[in-house]
Amino acid sequence: MSKNPDTWLARFHRLGSPPSIYLLAGALLPYTVIICGALFAAGLYWGLVLAPADYQQGESYRIIYIHVPSAWMSMLVYSVLAGASAISLIWRMKLAEAVARASAPVGAVYTFLALATGSLWGKPMWGAWWVWDARLTSELILLFLYLGYMALVAAIDDRRTASRAGAVLAIVGIVNLPIIHFSVEWWNTLHQGPTVTKFDQPSIALSMLIPLLLMAGAFKFHYLCVMLARVRVEILESERRTTWVNALVTQRSS
Amino acid sequence: MSEFFQMGGYAIYVWPAYLVTAVALVVTLVAPLHRRARIIRELSAIAAQQNNQHPK
């Protein structure tokens, strides 16, 4: 008995095909960009204009609206990197490999932003651009992990082997995430303790919490937009010589 | 308005932080979009060349 080509499974498999993902990502991108822009507009206006000044830190605390979302994203993206790496190792999924490789530079950018904005906040508040406290140091190590992953994957010629080596590094580095998160509880740190991500009511004013969450959402949509765009590039590059890409290209120029 | 830009005296910390963030986020988003456009341009050129060499 021959396989019915239009079974559920066959249709599902085709959804995962490169041209389908390419077209789907392209269709979603304009909407995700608009939502991202709207969230940034709302978050920035609420955070910079509407929210009150802090009674201790004055207006300088407003760096929180870019510092905290960047830091959250630096960790979220690393989880995606490690998760996609694990999936690519266990199930050999090409898409998982692509997601992992595409995520690393983006995660590195968020980590750099967390460190840079934190430094600009630390100087007026703590009097220091940098301290080797547990939170800052473990976030810096996160940046090194991202850069190390990118360097390792770039250093190995065979694409498959490179992805697998990188995947192992990414998975091993996951231990850093709970260290970053709990650093302010386990050690005596200059960096302040948890105010939002804890098993209790957030100890931040609602008028400041809402713009913070809006900006967190904006950053998440930014990551989504970037990933959709990068996955499209990855697919185009690895499928350069296929007929569907050829058709796509000639269709556009006609 | 001027008060807003002063940021309570912390302007030299707050605005560079926002600026570096804006630049980083925009560049990160735009880079793959440009790259895709460039790839399609290159592939079009190659396809056009092939059409010229093998006219239909």
Side-chain angles (χ1 to χ4, degrees):
Chain A
M1 189 163 76
S2 64
K3 238 186 186 171
N4 180 354
D6 256 5
T7 55
W8 268 103
L9 198 59
R11 256 182 267 161
F12 183 68
H13 263 277
R14 255 178 287 144
L15 272 182
S17 70
S20 307
I21 296 176
Y22 180 84
L23 293 173
L24 179 63
L28 286 175
L29 204 47
Y31 296 104
T32 56
V33 169
I34 289 172
I35 295 173
C36 176
L39 285 170
F40 268 112
L44 287 170
Y45 182 68
W46 203 314
L48 289 172
V49 178
L50 294 179
D54 183 71
Y55 83 103
Q56 264 183 341
Q57 301 191 22
E59 310 285 348
S60 72
Y61 93 97
R62 296 189 196 273
I63 294 180
I64 198 179
Y65 299 117
I66 40 177
H67 173 71
V68 169
S70 306
W72 282 347
M73 289 312 293
S74 73
M75 296 174 63
L76 176 67
V77 171
Y78 194 87
S79 314
V80 171
L81 173 62
S85 292
I87 291 173
S88 76
L89 280 182
I90 299 170
W91 286 293
R92 306 275 191 100
M93 272 181 70
K94 254 202 209 164
L95 183 61
E97 237 179 73
V99 166
R101 295 173 82 121
S103 290
V106 192
V109 170
Y110 294 135
T111 312
F112 164 75
L113 284 177
L115 292 166
T117 56
S119 187
L120 283 162
W121 194 358
K123 181 57 180 170
M125 289 300 113
W126 299 336
W129 294 108
W130 182 260
V131 290
W132 291 103
D133 96 347
R135 173 55 70 83
L136 276 70
T137 304
S138 50
E139 183 77 4
L140 182 65
I141 288 176
L142 186 65
L143 180 62
F144 290 158
L145 279 170
Y146 275 119
L147 297 178
Y149 173 92
M150 290 160 62
L152 181 60
V153 168
I156 297 175
D157 284 331
D158 177 50
R159 203 177 164 84
R160 231 314 139 64
T161 313
S163 290
R164 298 182 77 189
V168 172
L169 175 61
I171 292 167
V172 165
I174 202 78
V175 68
N176 194 30
L177 253 48
I179 291 178
I180 293 173
H181 180 68
F182 289 111
S183 59
V184 290
E185 292 177 43
W186 291 345
W187 290 283
N188 232 341
T189 60
L190 186 54
H191 191 285
Q192 79 166 65
T195 49
V196 179
T197 51
K198 56 180 188 175
F199 296 113
D200 205 347
Q201 269 194 337
S203 42
I204 180 177
L206 194 63
S207 58
M208 296 178 179
L209 179 62
I210 293 176
L212 183 60
L213 296 177
L214 283 172
M215 289 298 278
F219 270 74
K220 288 193 175 63
F221 267 85
H222 177 266
Y223 175 54
L224 180 59
C225 293
V226 173
M227 287 306 286
L228 289 173
R230 290 184 70 99
V231 163
R232 271 159 61 88
V233 167
E234 285 259 356
I235 289 176
L236 267 189
E237 292 201 314
S238 63
E239 303 264 309
R240 289 185 106 110
R241 305 191 191 285
T242 59
T243 40
W244 75 268
V245 170
N246 217 331
L248 187 83
V249 166
T250 46
Q251 201 178 52
R252 290 185 109 255
S253 49
S254 59
Chain B
M1 190 62 171
S2 151
E3 258 177 36
F4 176 74
F5 286 115
Q6 296 281 9
M7 275 291 151
Y10 294 112
I12 47 159
Y13 301 106
V14 174
W15 294 123
Y18 274 85
L19 190 66
V20 70
T21 302
V23 168
L25 293 184
V26 166
V27 168
T28 306
L29 179 56
V30 164
L33 299 175
H34 273 183
R35 185 123 174 258
R36 177 183 155 269
R38 187 170 49 83
I39 292 175
I40 291 185
R41 255 202 321 269
E42 286 174 2
L43 292 180
S44 290
I46 294 174
Q49 256 185 4
Q50 286 176 341
N51 274 346
N52 283 340
Q53 287 170 354
H54 311 281
K56 287 182 182 151

